[in-house]
Amino acid sequence: MGFAHSQVVLLGDPACRVSALIEETRENGVISPSNASQVDNPMVDLGYLSRNSVIKPGQRVVTSGLGGIFPAGLLIGQIIDSHSVGYGLYNEARVRLAVNMNALEEVFVKLP
């Protein structure tokens, strides 16, 4: 018997958290929805980055594979800017999504 349905979760979903990393530095963080996201400029936040991390605009952000839900290496987007949060305890970066989530027409479903 095959699968009858699937569940799709978009990165901008308020309940969605994705383990990610900055490809260049291998710095790990967590993707969450951004308050700054707009229809024509979809963004997410990459949080819990080390306060010593080297974050530059244009760096690529990909899934890390930690947590076992999303495979490693899927492109999420590029860093726009960053700032210190938590009274300087860690950094957070805004990431422009590589895909316009409002214009999706087809998706791939990855089976285990």
Side-chain angles (χ1 to χ4, degrees), residues 13-86:
D13 187 316
C16 183
R17 300 291 186 266
V18 178
S19 179
L21 59 85
I22 300 171
E23 202 171 49
E24 181 181 319
T25 64
R26 310 308 288 178
E27 176 82 27
N28 282 297
V30 176
I31 291 288
S32 61
S34 174
N35 292 334
S37 189
Q38 302 167 1
V39 172
D40 60 339
N41 194 15
M43 288 187 280
V44 291
D45 291 331
L46 176 59
Y48 304 106
L49 298 167
S50 164
R51 66 180 173 194
N52 299 322
S53 57
V54 178
I55 306 169
K56 300 176 194 167
Q59 289 175 317
R60 288 171 38 115
V61 177
V62 297
T63 55
S64 71
L66 298 174
I69 303 296
F70 297 95
L74 297 177
L75 178 63
I76 295 171
Q78 289 186 322
I79 291 179
I80 301 300
D81 58 22
S82 65
H83 59 277
S84 177
V85 291

